[in-house]
PDB file of all heavy atoms in Angstrom:
ATOM      1  N   GLY X1242     121.614  -5.520  71.069  1.00 97.00           N
ATOM      2  CA  GLY X1242     122.883  -5.151  70.474  1.00 97.00           C
ATOM      3  C   GLY X1242     124.018  -6.068  70.875  1.00 97.00           C
ATOM      4  O   GLY X1242     125.076  -6.053  70.228  1.00 97.00           O
ATOM      5  N   ARG X1243     123.827  -6.857  71.935  1.00 98.00           N
ATOM      6  CA  ARG X1243     124.849  -7.792  72.394  1.00 98.00           C
ATOM      7  C   ARG X1243     124.419  -9.248  72.245  1.00 98.00           C
ATOM      8  O   ARG X1243     125.253 -10.109  71.965  1.00 98.00           O
ATOM      9  CB  ARG X1243     125.205  -7.526  73.857  1.00 98.00           C
ATOM     10  CG  ARG X1243     125.761  -6.139  74.123  1.00 98.00           C
ATOM     11  CD  ARG X1243     126.292  -6.027  75.543  1.00 98.00           C
ATOM     12  NE  ARG X1243     125.253  -6.226  76.548  1.00 98.00           N
ATOM     13  CZ  ARG X1243     125.279  -7.177  77.473  1.00 98.00           C
ATOM     14  NH1 ARG X1243     126.300  -8.024  77.539  1.00 98.00           N
ATOM     15  NH2 ARG X1243     124.290  -7.279  78.355  1.00 98.00           N
ATOM     16  N   PHE X1244     123.143  -9.523  72.468  1.00 98.00           N
ATOM     17  CA  PHE X1244     122.623 -10.891  72.408  1.00 98.00           C
ATOM     18  C   PHE X1244     121.780 -11.076  71.152  1.00 98.00           C
ATOM     19  O   PHE X1244     121.112 -10.147  70.694  1.00 98.00           O
ATOM     20  CB  PHE X1244     121.750 -11.203  73.624  1.00 98.00           C
ATOM     21  CG  PHE X1244     122.485 -11.283  74.937  1.00 98.00           C
ATOM     22  CD1 PHE X1244     123.809 -10.912  75.056  1.00 98.00           C
ATOM     23  CD2 PHE X1244     121.823 -11.736  76.068  1.00 98.00           C
ATOM     24  CE1 PHE X1244     124.476 -10.983  76.269  1.00 98.00           C
ATOM     25  CE2 PHE X1244     122.469 -11.820  77.287  1.00 98.00           C
ATOM     26  CZ  PHE X1244     123.793 -11.439  77.388  1.00 98.00           C
ATOM     27  N   THR X1245     121.781 -12.286  70.624  1.00 98.00           N
ATOM     28  CA  THR X1245     120.966 -12.631  69.471  1.00 98.00           C
ATOM     29  C   THR X1245     120.260 -13.954  69.720  1.00 98.00           C
ATOM     30  O   THR X1245     120.902 -14.948  70.050  1.00 98.00           O
ATOM     31  CB  THR X1245     121.813 -12.736  68.194  1.00 98.00           C
ATOM     32  OG1 THR X1245     122.492 -11.501  67.955  1.00 98.00           O
ATOM     33  CG2 THR X1245     120.926 -13.064  66.994  1.00 98.00           C
ATOM     34  N   ILE X1246     118.936 -13.961  69.556  1.00 97.00           N
ATOM     35  CA  ILE X1246     118.171 -15.186  69.676  1.00 97.00           C
ATOM     36  C   ILE X1246     117.889 -15.729  68.280  1.00 97.00           C
ATOM     37  O   ILE X1246     117.589 -14.971  67.358  1.00 97.00           O
ATOM     38  CB  ILE X1246     116.855 -14.971  70.470  1.00 97.00           C
ATOM     39  CG1 ILE X1246     116.165 -16.306  70.743  1.00 97.00           C
ATOM     40  CG2 ILE X1246     115.920 -14.015  69.736  1.00 97.00           C
ATOM     41  CD1 ILE X1246     114.997 -16.194  71.725  1.00 97.00           C
ATOM     42  N   SER X1247     117.995 -17.029  68.123  1.00 95.00           N
ATOM     43  CA  SER X1247     117.735 -17.667  66.845  1.00 95.00           C
ATOM     44  C   SER X1247     117.209 -19.074  67.089  1.00 95.00           C
ATOM     45  O   SER X1247     117.218 -19.558  68.224  1.00 95.00           O
ATOM     46  CB  SER X1247     118.995 -17.702  65.975  1.00 95.00           C
ATOM     47  OG  SER X1247     120.017 -18.458  66.596  1.00 95.00           O
ATOM     48  N   ARG X1248     116.747 -19.703  66.031  1.00 92.00           N
ATOM     49  CA  ARG X1248     116.233 -21.061  66.173  1.00 92.00           C
ATOM     50  C   ARG X1248     116.554 -21.900  64.941  1.00 92.00           C
ATOM     51  O   ARG X1248     116.723 -21.369  63.840  1.00 92.00           O
ATOM     52  CB  ARG X1248     114.716 -21.071  66.434  1.00 92.00           C
ATOM     53  CG  ARG X1248     113.845 -20.954  65.181  1.00 92.00           C
ATOM     54  CD  ARG X1248     113.795 -19.529  64.675  1.00 92.00           C
ATOM     55  NE  ARG X1248     112.983 -19.418  63.469  1.00 92.00           N
ATOM     56  CZ  ARG X1248     113.435 -19.619  62.236  1.00 92.00           C
ATOM     57  NH1 ARG X1248     114.712 -19.946  62.044  1.00 92.00           N
ATOM     58  NH2 ARG X1248     112.626 -19.489  61.203  1.00 92.00           N
ATOM     59  N   ASP X1249     116.651 -23.183  65.146  1.00 90.00           N
ATOM     60  CA  ASP X1249     116.848 -24.155  64.084  1.00 90.00           C
ATOM     61  C   ASP X1249     115.640 -25.072  64.115  1.00 90.00           C
ATOM     62  O   ASP X1249     115.539 -25.944  64.977  1.00 90.00           O
ATOM     63  CB  ASP X1249     118.146 -24.937  64.292  1.00 90.00           C
ATOM     64  CG  ASP X1249     118.467 -25.860  63.137  1.00 90.00           C
ATOM     65  OD1 ASP X1249     117.536 -26.357  62.479  1.00 90.00           O
ATOM     66  OD2 ASP X1249     119.662 -26.101  62.895  1.00 90.00           O
ATOM     67  N   LYS X1250     114.707 -24.860  63.198  1.00 85.00           N
ATOM     68  CA  LYS X1250     113.469 -25.620  63.217  1.00 85.00           C
ATOM     69  C   LYS X1250     113.703 -27.114  62.998  1.00 85.00           C
ATOM     70  O   LYS X1250     113.024 -27.942  63.604  1.00 85.00           O
ATOM     71  CB  LYS X1250     112.506 -25.073  62.165  1.00 85.00           C
ATOM     72  CG  LYS X1250     111.967 -23.682  62.486  1.00 85.00           C
ATOM     73  CD  LYS X1250     110.897 -23.255  61.508  1.00 85.00           C
ATOM     74  CE  LYS X1250     111.486 -22.966  60.142  1.00 85.00           C
ATOM     75  NZ  LYS X1250     110.460 -22.427  59.210  1.00 85.00           N
ATOM     76  N   ALA X1251     114.657 -27.453  62.145  1.00 86.00           N
ATOM     77  CA  ALA X1251     114.928 -28.854  61.866  1.00 86.00           C
ATOM     78  C   ALA X1251     115.418 -29.586  63.108  1.00 86.00           C
ATOM     79  O   ALA X1251     115.145 -30.776  63.279  1.00 86.00           O
ATOM     80  CB  ALA X1251     115.945 -28.985  60.736  1.00 86.00           C
ATOM     81  N   LYS X1252     116.153 -28.888  63.973  1.00 89.00           N
ATOM     82  CA  LYS X1252     116.689 -29.492  65.188  1.00 89.00           C
ATOM     83  C   LYS X1252     115.836 -29.203  66.418  1.00 89.00           C
ATOM     84  O   LYS X1252     116.182 -29.646  67.517  1.00 89.00           O
ATOM     85  CB  LYS X1252     118.111 -28.996  65.438  1.00 89.00           C
ATOM     86  CG  LYS X1252     119.103 -29.385  64.353  1.00 89.00           C
ATOM     87  CD  LYS X1252     120.494 -28.864  64.675  1.00 89.00           C
ATOM     88  CE  LYS X1252     121.484 -29.264  63.616  1.00 89.00           C
ATOM     89  NZ  LYS X1252     122.852 -28.748  63.902  1.00 89.00           N
ATOM     90  N   SER X1253     114.732 -28.462  66.246  1.00 89.00           N
ATOM     91  CA  SER X1253     113.863 -28.069  67.364  1.00 89.00           C
ATOM     92  C   SER X1253     114.678 -27.443  68.486  1.00 89.00           C
ATOM     93  O   SER X1253     114.502 -27.766  69.666  1.00 89.00           O
ATOM     94  CB  SER X1253     113.068 -29.276  67.875  1.00 89.00           C
ATOM     95  OG  SER X1253     112.202 -29.764  66.876  1.00 89.00           O
ATOM     96  N   THR X1254     115.567 -26.531  68.116  1.00 93.00           N
ATOM     97  CA  THR X1254     116.494 -25.931  69.061  1.00 93.00           C
ATOM     98  C   THR X1254     116.494 -24.414  68.914  1.00 93.00           C
ATOM     99  O   THR X1254     116.489 -23.895  67.799  1.00 93.00           O
ATOM    100  CB  THR X1254     117.916 -26.467  68.850  1.00 93.00           C
ATOM    101  OG1 THR X1254     117.911 -27.886  69.023  1.00 93.00           O
ATOM    102  CG2 THR X1254     118.886 -25.836  69.830  1.00 93.00           C
ATOM    103  N   VAL X1255     116.508 -23.712  70.039  1.00 94.00           N
ATOM    104  CA  VAL X1255     116.633 -22.261  70.056  1.00 94.00           C
ATOM    105  C   VAL X1255     117.970 -21.909  70.702  1.00 94.00           C
ATOM    106  O   VAL X1255     118.417 -22.597  71.625  1.00 94.00           O
ATOM    107  CB  VAL X1255     115.449 -21.596  70.793  1.00 94.00           C
ATOM    108  CG1 VAL X1255     115.400 -22.025  72.254  1.00 94.00           C
ATOM    109  CG2 VAL X1255     115.531 -20.084  70.681  1.00 94.00           C
ATOM    110  N   TYR X1256     118.605 -20.847  70.218  1.00 97.00           N
ATOM    111  CA  TYR X1256     119.927 -20.448  70.685  1.00 97.00           C
ATOM    112  C   TYR X1256     119.896 -19.032  71.235  1.00 97.00           C
ATOM    113  O   TYR X1256     119.060 -18.209  70.862  1.00 97.00           O
ATOM    114  CB  TYR X1256     120.948 -20.510  69.552  1.00 97.00           C
ATOM    115  CG  TYR X1256     121.056 -21.858  68.884  1.00 97.00           C
ATOM    116  CD1 TYR X1256     120.333 -22.141  67.735  1.00 97.00           C
ATOM    117  CD2 TYR X1256     121.882 -22.844  69.407  1.00 97.00           C
ATOM    118  CE1 TYR X1256     120.427 -23.378  67.118  1.00 97.00           C
ATOM    119  CE2 TYR X1256     121.982 -24.081  68.792  1.00 97.00           C
ATOM    120  CZ  TYR X1256     121.259 -24.346  67.651  1.00 97.00           C
ATOM    121  OH  TYR X1256     121.351 -25.566  67.038  1.00 97.00           O
ATOM    122  N   LEU X1257     120.824 -18.748  72.112  1.00 98.00           N
ATOM    123  CA  LEU X1257     121.075 -17.395  72.571  1.00 98.00           C
ATOM    124  C   LEU X1257     122.569 -17.132  72.435  1.00 98.00           C
ATOM    125  O   LEU X1257     123.365 -17.669  73.208  1.00 98.00           O
ATOM    126  CB  LEU X1257     120.626 -17.188  74.019  1.00 98.00           C
ATOM    127  CG  LEU X1257     120.738 -15.752  74.532  1.00 98.00           C
ATOM    128  CD1 LEU X1257     119.732 -14.851  73.827  1.00 98.00           C
ATOM    129  CD2 LEU X1257     120.525 -15.702  76.048  1.00 98.00           C
ATOM    130  N   GLU X1258     122.936 -16.335  71.439  1.00 98.00           N
ATOM    131  CA  GLU X1258     124.325 -15.952  71.227  1.00 98.00           C
ATOM    132  C   GLU X1258     124.598 -14.704  72.049  1.00 98.00           C
ATOM    133  O   GLU X1258     123.950 -13.677  71.844  1.00 98.00           O
ATOM    134  CB  GLU X1258     124.587 -15.693  69.747  1.00 98.00           C
ATOM    135  CG  GLU X1258     126.038 -15.457  69.397  1.00 98.00           C
ATOM    136  CD  GLU X1258     126.862 -16.732  69.418  1.00 98.00           C
ATOM    137  OE1 GLU X1258     126.316 -17.801  69.083  1.00 98.00           O
ATOM    138  OE2 GLU X1258     128.061 -16.663  69.763  1.00 98.00           O
ATOM    139  N   MET X1259     125.540 -14.786  72.968  1.00 98.00           N
ATOM    140  CA  MET X1259     125.835 -13.694  73.881  1.00 98.00           C
ATOM    141  C   MET X1259     127.232 -13.172  73.602  1.00 98.00           C
ATOM    142  O   MET X1259     128.204 -13.929  73.652  1.00 98.00           O
ATOM    143  CB  MET X1259     125.719 -14.161  75.333  1.00 98.00           C
ATOM    144  CG  MET X1259     124.367 -14.773  75.667  1.00 98.00           C
ATOM    145  SD  MET X1259     124.193 -15.212  77.414  1.00 98.00           S
ATOM    146  CE  MET X1259     125.407 -16.530  77.532  1.00 98.00           C
ATOM    147  N   ASN X1260     127.327 -11.890  73.313  1.00 98.00           N
ATOM    148  CA  ASN X1260     128.595 -11.230  73.032  1.00 98.00           C
ATOM    149  C   ASN X1260     128.808 -10.074  73.998  1.00 98.00           C
ATOM    150  O   ASN X1260     127.871  -9.589  74.627  1.00 98.00           O
ATOM    151  CB  ASN X1260     128.628 -10.721  71.592  1.00 98.00           C
ATOM    152  CG  ASN X1260     128.462 -11.816  70.572  1.00 98.00           C
ATOM    153  OD1 ASN X1260     129.172 -12.819  70.610  1.00 98.00           O
ATOM    154  ND2 ASN X1260     127.531 -11.635  69.642  1.00 98.00           N
ATOM    155  N   SER X1261     130.052  -9.614  74.084  1.00 98.00           N
ATOM    156  CA  SER X1261     130.409  -8.493  74.960  1.00 98.00           C
ATOM    157  C   SER X1261     129.863  -8.693  76.364  1.00 98.00           C
ATOM    158  O   SER X1261     129.272  -7.794  76.962  1.00 98.00           O
ATOM    159  CB  SER X1261     129.898  -7.174  74.363  1.00 98.00           C
ATOM    160  OG  SER X1261     130.441  -6.950  73.080  1.00 98.00           O
ATOM    161  N   LEU X1262     130.072  -9.866  76.902  1.00 98.00           N
ATOM    162  CA  LEU X1262     129.531 -10.206  78.214  1.00 98.00           C
ATOM    163  C   LEU X1262     130.162  -9.358  79.315  1.00 98.00           C
ATOM    164  O   LEU X1262     131.342  -8.991  79.237  1.00 98.00           O
ATOM    165  CB  LEU X1262     129.748 -11.683  78.508  1.00 98.00           C
ATOM    166  CG  LEU X1262     128.799 -12.620  77.756  1.00 98.00           C
ATOM    167  CD1 LEU X1262     129.340 -14.041  77.753  1.00 98.00           C
ATOM    168  CD2 LEU X1262     127.412 -12.573  78.390  1.00 98.00           C
ATOM    169  N   LYS X1263     129.369  -9.068  80.332  1.00 97.00           N
ATOM    170  CA  LYS X1263     129.819  -8.298  81.472  1.00 97.00           C
ATOM    171  C   LYS X1263     129.348  -8.970  82.749  1.00 97.00           C
ATOM    172  O   LYS X1263     128.529  -9.882  82.727  1.00 97.00           O
ATOM    173  CB  LYS X1263     129.308  -6.856  81.390  1.00 97.00           C
ATOM    174  CG  LYS X1263     127.816  -6.729  81.199  1.00 97.00           C
ATOM    175  CD  LYS X1263     127.411  -5.278  80.978  1.00 97.00           C
ATOM    176  CE  LYS X1263     125.920  -5.132  80.778  1.00 97.00           C
ATOM    177  NZ  LYS X1263     125.536  -3.716  80.557  1.00 97.00           N
ATOM    178  N   ALA X1264     129.858  -8.496  83.882  1.00 97.00           N
ATOM    179  CA  ALA X1264     129.562  -9.126  85.160  1.00 97.00           C
ATOM    180  C   ALA X1264     128.067  -9.145  85.460  1.00 97.00           C
ATOM    181  O   ALA X1264     127.573 -10.094  86.077  1.00 97.00           O
ATOM    182  CB  ALA X1264     130.318  -8.424  86.283  1.00 97.00           C
ATOM    183  N   ASP X1265     127.337  -8.119  85.030  1.00 97.00           N
ATOM    184  CA  ASP X1265     125.904  -8.054  85.284  1.00 97.00           C
ATOM    185  C   ASP X1265     125.120  -9.138  84.557  1.00 97.00           C
ATOM    186  O   ASP X1265     123.943  -9.351  84.855  1.00 97.00           O
ATOM    187  CB  ASP X1265     125.353  -6.680  84.892  1.00 97.00           C
ATOM    188  CG  ASP X1265     125.764  -5.579  85.843  1.00 97.00           C
ATOM    189  OD1 ASP X1265     126.275  -5.885  86.932  1.00 97.00           O
ATOM    190  OD2 ASP X1265     125.567  -4.399  85.495  1.00 97.00           O
ATOM    191  N   ASP X1266     125.742  -9.816  83.608  1.00 98.00           N
ATOM    192  CA  ASP X1266     125.083 -10.900  82.896  1.00 98.00           C
ATOM    193  C   ASP X1266     125.124 -12.211  83.670  1.00 98.00           C
ATOM    194  O   ASP X1266     124.504 -13.193  83.252  1.00 98.00           O
ATOM    195  CB  ASP X1266     125.718 -11.110  81.517  1.00 98.00           C
ATOM    196  CG  ASP X1266     125.528  -9.918  80.603  1.00 98.00           C
ATOM    197  OD1 ASP X1266     124.421  -9.336  80.600  1.00 98.00           O
ATOM    198  OD2 ASP X1266     126.483  -9.567  79.884  1.00 98.00           O
ATOM    199  N   THR X1267     125.850 -12.259  84.766  1.00 98.00           N
ATOM    200  CA  THR X1267     125.942 -13.467  85.571  1.00 98.00           C
ATOM    201  C   THR X1267     124.570 -13.834  86.124  1.00 98.00           C
ATOM    202  O   THR X1267     123.921 -13.031  86.795  1.00 98.00           O
ATOM    203  CB  THR X1267     126.934 -13.279  86.722  1.00 98.00           C
ATOM    204  OG1 THR X1267     128.250 -13.092  86.193  1.00 98.00           O
ATOM    205  CG2 THR X1267     126.936 -14.496  87.636  1.00 98.00           C
ATOM    206  N   ALA X1268     124.116 -15.050  85.829  1.00 98.00           N
ATOM    207  CA  ALA X1268     122.793 -15.499  86.253  1.00 98.00           C
ATOM    208  C   ALA X1268     122.586 -16.933  85.802  1.00 98.00           C
ATOM    209  O   ALA X1268     123.375 -17.478  85.030  1.00 98.00           O
ATOM    210  CB  ALA X1268     121.701 -14.599  85.657  1.00 98.00           C
ATOM    211  N   VAL X1269     121.504 -17.530  86.286  1.00 98.00           N
ATOM    212  CA  VAL X1269     121.016 -18.775  85.721  1.00 98.00           C
ATOM    213  C   VAL X1269     120.092 -18.412  84.572  1.00 98.00           C
ATOM    214  O   VAL X1269     119.153 -17.636  84.747  1.00 98.00           O
ATOM    215  CB  VAL X1269     120.269 -19.628  86.762  1.00 98.00           C
ATOM    216  CG1 VAL X1269     119.696 -20.880  86.110  1.00 98.00           C
ATOM    217  CG2 VAL X1269     121.201 -20.004  87.906  1.00 98.00           C
ATOM    218  N   TYR X1270     120.343 -18.969  83.406  1.00 98.00           N
ATOM    219  CA  TYR X1270     119.554 -18.678  82.221  1.00 98.00           C
ATOM    220  C   TYR X1270     118.576 -19.812  81.958  1.00 98.00           C
ATOM    221  O   TYR X1270     118.954 -20.983  81.946  1.00 98.00           O
ATOM    222  CB  TYR X1270     120.466 -18.468  81.011  1.00 98.00           C
ATOM    223  CG  TYR X1270     121.136 -17.121  81.020  1.00 98.00           C
ATOM    224  CD1 TYR X1270     122.145 -16.835  81.933  1.00 98.00           C
ATOM    225  CD2 TYR X1270     120.744 -16.124  80.129  1.00 98.00           C
ATOM    226  CE1 TYR X1270     122.748 -15.590  81.965  1.00 98.00           C
ATOM    227  CE2 TYR X1270     121.344 -14.874  80.149  1.00 98.00           C
ATOM    228  CZ  TYR X1270     122.344 -14.614  81.071  1.00 98.00           C
ATOM    229  OH  TYR X1270     122.943 -13.373  81.089  1.00 98.00           O
ATOM    230  N   PHE X1271     117.308 -19.439  81.736  1.00 98.00           N
ATOM    231  CA  PHE X1271     116.239 -20.399  81.521  1.00 98.00           C
ATOM    232  C   PHE X1271     115.648 -20.246  80.131  1.00 98.00           C
ATOM    233  O   PHE X1271     115.427 -19.129  79.661  1.00 98.00           O
ATOM    234  CB  PHE X1271     115.111 -20.206  82.541  1.00 98.00           C
ATOM    235  CG  PHE X1271     115.510 -20.459  83.960  1.00 98.00           C
ATOM    236  CD1 PHE X1271     116.003 -19.436  84.749  1.00 98.00           C
ATOM    237  CD2 PHE X1271     115.377 -21.721  84.510  1.00 98.00           C
ATOM    238  CE1 PHE X1271     116.364 -19.658  86.066  1.00 98.00           C
ATOM    239  CE2 PHE X1271     115.732 -21.961  85.827  1.00 98.00           C
ATOM    240  CZ  PHE X1271     116.227 -20.927  86.605  1.00 98.00           C
ATOM    241  N   CYS X1272     115.372 -21.349  79.501  1.00 97.00           N
ATOM    242  CA  CYS X1272     114.606 -21.398  78.267  1.00 97.00           C
ATOM    243  C   CYS X1272     113.146 -21.642  78.611  1.00 97.00           C
ATOM    244  O   CYS X1272     112.837 -22.380  79.550  1.00 97.00           O
ATOM    245  CB  CYS X1272     115.145 -22.510  77.367  1.00 97.00           C
ATOM    246  SG  CYS X1272     114.269 -22.746  75.812  1.00 97.00           S
ATOM    247  N   ALA X1273     112.223 -21.015  77.871  1.00 96.00           N
ATOM    248  CA  ALA X1273     110.802 -21.160  78.156  1.00 96.00           C
ATOM    249  C   ALA X1273     109.986 -21.101  76.866  1.00 96.00           C
ATOM    250  O   ALA X1273     110.439 -20.560  75.861  1.00 96.00           O
ATOM    251  CB  ALA X1273     110.339 -20.070  79.120  1.00 96.00           C
ATOM    252  N   ALA X1274     108.772 -21.651  76.926  1.00 93.00           N
ATOM    253  CA  ALA X1274     107.873 -21.696  75.775  1.00 93.00           C
ATOM    254  C   ALA X1274     106.558 -21.008  76.105  1.00 93.00           C
ATOM    255  O   ALA X1274     105.995 -21.211  77.190  1.00 93.00           O
ATOM    256  CB  ALA X1274     107.622 -23.132  75.343  1.00 93.00           C
ATOM    257  N   SER X1275     106.064 -20.202  75.159  1.00 92.00           N
ATOM    258  CA  SER X1275     104.836 -19.440  75.315  1.00 92.00           C
ATOM    259  C   SER X1275     103.977 -19.568  74.062  1.00 92.00           C
ATOM    260  O   SER X1275     104.511 -19.745  72.965  1.00 92.00           O
ATOM    261  CB  SER X1275     105.163 -17.963  75.566  1.00 92.00           C
ATOM    262  OG  SER X1275     104.003 -17.153  75.502  1.00 92.00           O
ATOM    263  N   PRO X1276     102.647 -19.440  74.182  1.00 88.00           N
ATOM    264  CA  PRO X1276     101.798 -19.470  72.983  1.00 88.00           C
ATOM    265  C   PRO X1276     102.136 -18.362  71.989  1.00 88.00           C
ATOM    266  O   PRO X1276     101.977 -18.558  70.787  1.00 88.00           O
ATOM    267  CB  PRO X1276     100.386 -19.301  73.547  1.00 88.00           C
ATOM    268  CG  PRO X1276     100.477 -19.832  74.939  1.00 88.00           C
ATOM    269  CD  PRO X1276     101.836 -19.415  75.421  1.00 88.00           C
ATOM    270  N   VAL X1277     102.586 -17.187  72.493  1.00 86.00           N
ATOM    271  CA  VAL X1277     102.950 -16.065  71.646  1.00 86.00           C
ATOM    272  C   VAL X1277     104.178 -15.392  72.220  1.00 86.00           C
ATOM    273  O   VAL X1277     104.462 -15.522  73.419  1.00 86.00           O
ATOM    274  CB  VAL X1277     101.805 -15.036  71.516  1.00 86.00           C
ATOM    275  CG1 VAL X1277     100.593 -15.642  70.829  1.00 86.00           C
ATOM    276  CG2 VAL X1277     101.422 -14.505  72.894  1.00 86.00           C
ATOM    277  N   PRO X1278     104.940 -14.650  71.404  1.00 88.00           N
ATOM    278  CA  PRO X1278     106.087 -13.923  71.944  1.00 88.00           C
ATOM    279  C   PRO X1278     105.654 -12.949  73.029  1.00 88.00           C
ATOM    280  O   PRO X1278     104.673 -12.220  72.875  1.00 88.00           O
ATOM    281  CB  PRO X1278     106.644 -13.181  70.722  1.00 88.00           C
ATOM    282  CG  PRO X1278     106.179 -13.981  69.550  1.00 88.00           C
ATOM    283  CD  PRO X1278     104.827 -14.488  69.937  1.00 88.00           C
ATOM    284  N   SER X1279     106.381 -12.925  74.136  1.00 93.00           N
ATOM    285  CA  SER X1279     106.023 -12.079  75.260  1.00 93.00           C
ATOM    286  C   SER X1279     107.233 -11.803  76.123  1.00 93.00           C
ATOM    287  O   SER X1279     108.166 -12.608  76.179  1.00 93.00           O
ATOM    288  CB  SER X1279     104.923 -12.736  76.100  1.00 93.00           C
ATOM    289  OG  SER X1279     104.622 -11.966  77.246  1.00 93.00           O
ATOM    290  N   GLU X1280     107.219 -10.655  76.816  1.00 95.00           N
ATOM    291  CA  GLU X1280     108.249 -10.302  77.778  1.00 95.00           C
ATOM    292  C   GLU X1280     107.859 -10.695  79.200  1.00 95.00           C
ATOM    293  O   GLU X1280     108.658 -10.540  80.122  1.00 95.00           O
ATOM    294  CB  GLU X1280     108.537  -8.792  77.735  1.00 95.00           C
ATOM    295  CG  GLU X1280     109.030  -8.302  76.385  1.00 95.00           C
ATOM    296  CD  GLU X1280     109.274  -6.808  76.357  1.00 95.00           C
ATOM    297  OE1 GLU X1280     109.149  -6.156  77.415  1.00 95.00           O
ATOM    298  OE2 GLU X1280     109.589  -6.279  75.279  1.00 95.00           O
ATOM    299  N   ALA X1281     106.657 -11.204  79.387  1.00 96.00           N
ATOM    300  CA  ALA X1281     106.121 -11.489  80.712  1.00 96.00           C
ATOM    301  C   ALA X1281     106.396 -12.925  81.129  1.00 96.00           C
ATOM    302  O   ALA X1281     106.085 -13.866  80.401  1.00 96.00           O
ATOM    303  CB  ALA X1281     104.625 -11.210  80.745  1.00 96.00           C
ATOM    304  N   VAL X1282     106.947 -13.082  82.323  1.00 96.00           N
ATOM    305  CA  VAL X1282     107.216 -14.410  82.857  1.00 96.00           C
ATOM    306  C   VAL X1282     105.955 -15.263  82.885  1.00 96.00           C
ATOM    307  O   VAL X1282     105.973 -16.448  82.551  1.00 96.00           O
ATOM    308  CB  VAL X1282     107.819 -14.309  84.268  1.00 96.00           C
ATOM    309  CG1 VAL X1282     107.869 -15.680  84.940  1.00 96.00           C
ATOM    310  CG2 VAL X1282     109.207 -13.700  84.210  1.00 96.00           C
ATOM    311  N   GLY X1283     104.819 -14.644  83.270  1.00 96.00           N
ATOM    312  CA  GLY X1283     103.573 -15.368  83.411  1.00 96.00           C
ATOM    313  C   GLY X1283     102.999 -15.907  82.119  1.00 96.00           C
ATOM    314  O   GLY X1283     102.098 -16.751  82.157  1.00 96.00           O
TER     315      GLY X1283
END
């Protein structure tokens, strides 16, 4: 409801649009690639 993930295939780029940011969102953000969509770090 606050963040939106999207991609631009022509530019080989993925985006994370972050809205209504709060203090708990403070962190180092990492981009990662997986064979399939997953919530697991591994």
Side-chain angles (χ1 to χ4, degrees):
R1243 299 189 298 121
F1244 292 9
T1245 302
I1246 188 170
S1247 62
R1248 83 283 179 274
D1249 186 330
K1250 291 187 289 185
K1252 297 180 179 179
S1253 297
T1254 301
V1255 62
Y1256 303 95
L1257 185 68
E1258 187 75 33
M1259 304 184 293
N1260 300 308
S1261 301
L1262 284 162
K1263 53 186 180 180
D1265 288 348
D1266 295 319
T1267 295
V1269 176
Y1270 283 71
F1271 296 90
C1272 178
S1275 170
V1277 296
S1279 176
E1280 300 179 5
V1282 170

